[in-house]
Amino acid sequence: MSRPNALYEAPGPVGRRRQRAVSVLSALAVCGLLVAIGIRLEASGQFEADKWAIFLHWGTAKFLFDGLVSTIAAAACSALVAFAMALPLALWRLSKRPWVSRLAGAYIEFFRAIPLLLLILFMVIELPSLGFDWPALGFLVFAMALHHSALTAEVVRAGILSLPRGQCEAALALGLRPAQAMLYVVLPQALRSMLPALISSVLAIVQDTSLGYVIPYDELLHRSQDVSSYAPQSLLQAAFIVTLMYGVVSAALLYLKRWVMRRQGRAPAKSTARSGMTMSSDVAAEIGASIVSASPRE
């Protein structure tokens, strides 16, 4: 049985037929657009073998794959640092002390407002003058951690606020201190509910690593530009292959997000069914006890 949606009314037979017709027409329009683009590219000679020949060499494939590894390494380091910073930021944002909450809010609003590209350029230009002689990866990770920690802190704060207040109140009623209630009761449930959103944050971090080409950090986009500089006739082909490589990583993260959402949607159903079976057995036991008590004794 499907769960009713409070945002809109389910379409009837006419509405479903209309939706199917619109979907078919949209798919045909997209296919027609792709065919038109393909014809245009064919007319301009973009499918000629000499423009794709460089990508058939093992050295080029390894060169681009090493760039993908550098991209994943930068994204992993940035995600770890950003998430480690986001958790205390979210807790400070929820603090009952006004000055702590305001400082955390000012940090979040400040680094959310600054474009990431400008922040990376600022780190590369200013930090070396202050004596920070870091490699390109360090500047990229530091800038991305500052930016995405502010974004992720809001995700964590929203996850904490989405829980019913009764969870924390029940923990306090059991004798736990507020910090213990947050650590042992609220945060585990909030992190579980916000896991799909955190995976989306990782996806955004992976895509933002492409801004490392301005440092320059030797990531995937920068290496594709090196290939294009070596073979200028293959500029569009290099962009297409790099887009596919980014798409593979993004598709893997999206699949992981959907898998987590399916598991999270299945868990409440299992617990509900289990509680329903327990309740039905309890009701059956009560009915049996009442029948036995109401039967005439010899």
Side-chain angles (χ1 to χ4, degrees):
M1 183 177 178
S2 61
R3 184 174 57 183
N5 197 320
L7 298 179
Y8 63 92
E9 185 178 357
V14 177
R16 288 195 294 269
R17 286 196 297 269
R18 187 180 296 114
Q19 288 178 354
R20 285 194 292 267
V22 171
S23 299
V24 171
L25 291 177
S26 300
L28 291 176
V30 171
C31 292
L33 179 62
L34 292 177
V35 170
I37 293 174
I39 293 174
R40 181 65 178 175
L41 293 176
E42 176 65 26
S44 61
Q46 297 298 329
F47 293 119
E48 294 178 359
D50 60 332
K51 295 184 178 181
W52 296 89
I54 188 173
F55 301 103
L56 299 179
H57 294 287
W58 167 249
T60 305
K62 185 178 183 302
F63 185 74
L64 292 177
F65 181 76
D66 291 341
L68 179 61
V69 172
S70 299
T71 294
I72 295 175
C77 295
S78 302
L80 290 176
V81 178
F83 292 167
M85 296 171 62
L87 184 58
L89 279 173
L91 296 178
W92 294 337
R93 188 74 174 86
L94 295 171
S95 175
K96 295 182 179 179
R97 298 178 180 177
W99 65 273
V100 175
S101 179
R102 289 171 184 170
L103 284 177
Y107 174 93
I108 292 172
E109 296 300 328
F110 179 76
F111 284 106
R112 284 177 62 188
I114 297 180
L116 181 56
L117 181 60
L118 295 181
L119 186 60
I120 294 174
L121 290 174
F122 178 81
M123 296 297 171
V124 174
I125 295 173
E126 294 297 329
L127 289 185
S129 62
L130 298 177
F132 295 95
D133 189 14
W134 293 346
L137 177 62
F139 292 113
L140 179 61
V141 169
F142 186 48
M144 292 184 62
L146 291 177
H147 181 74
H148 284 280
S149 64
L151 299 177
T152 310
E154 290 297 284
V155 175
V156 176
R157 185 170 73 96
I160 293 174
L161 294 177
S162 66
L163 292 179
R165 294 184 60 184
Q167 299 286 335
C168 185
E169 293 174 355
L172 296 176
L174 292 175
L176 296 179
R177 293 192 295 271
Q180 293 177 329
M182 179 64 68
L183 181 62
Y184 297 115
V185 177
V186 176
L187 276 181
Q189 300 181 69
L191 290 174
R192 182 181 181 277
S193 64
M194 73 180 74
L195 189 56
L198 294 179
I199 297 175
S200 298
S201 300
V202 175
L203 178 58
I205 291 174
V206 171
Q207 295 173 350
D208 284 344
T209 54
S210 60
L211 298 176
Y213 77 94
V214 300
I215 297 180
Y217 174 64
D218 214 13
E219 44 82 41
L220 183 56
L221 182 60
H222 185 264
R223 294 213 166 191
S224 72
Q225 292 178 339
D226 292 340
V227 173
S228 302
S229 300
Y230 179 77
Q233 74 279 5
S234 301
L235 175 63
L236 183 61
Q237 289 73 15
F240 177 74
I241 290 178
V242 168
T243 302
L244 286 181
M245 297 175 73
Y246 274 112
V248 169
V249 177
S250 301
L253 290 174
L254 289 175
Y255 176 80
L256 177 62
K257 177 182 176 181
R258 294 192 185 99
W259 180 79
V260 170
M261 293 176 67
R262 286 197 302 267
R263 290 293 301 268
Q264 289 183 351
R266 195 178 304 151
K270 289 182 178 179
S271 61
T272 303
R274 191 178 300 111
S275 62
M277 292 175 62
T278 305
M279 290 176 62
S280 61
S281 61
D282 293 341
V283 170
E286 292 178 2
I287 293 175
S290 63
I291 292 174
V292 172
S293 60
S295 60
R297 299 180 179 177
E298 296 182 357

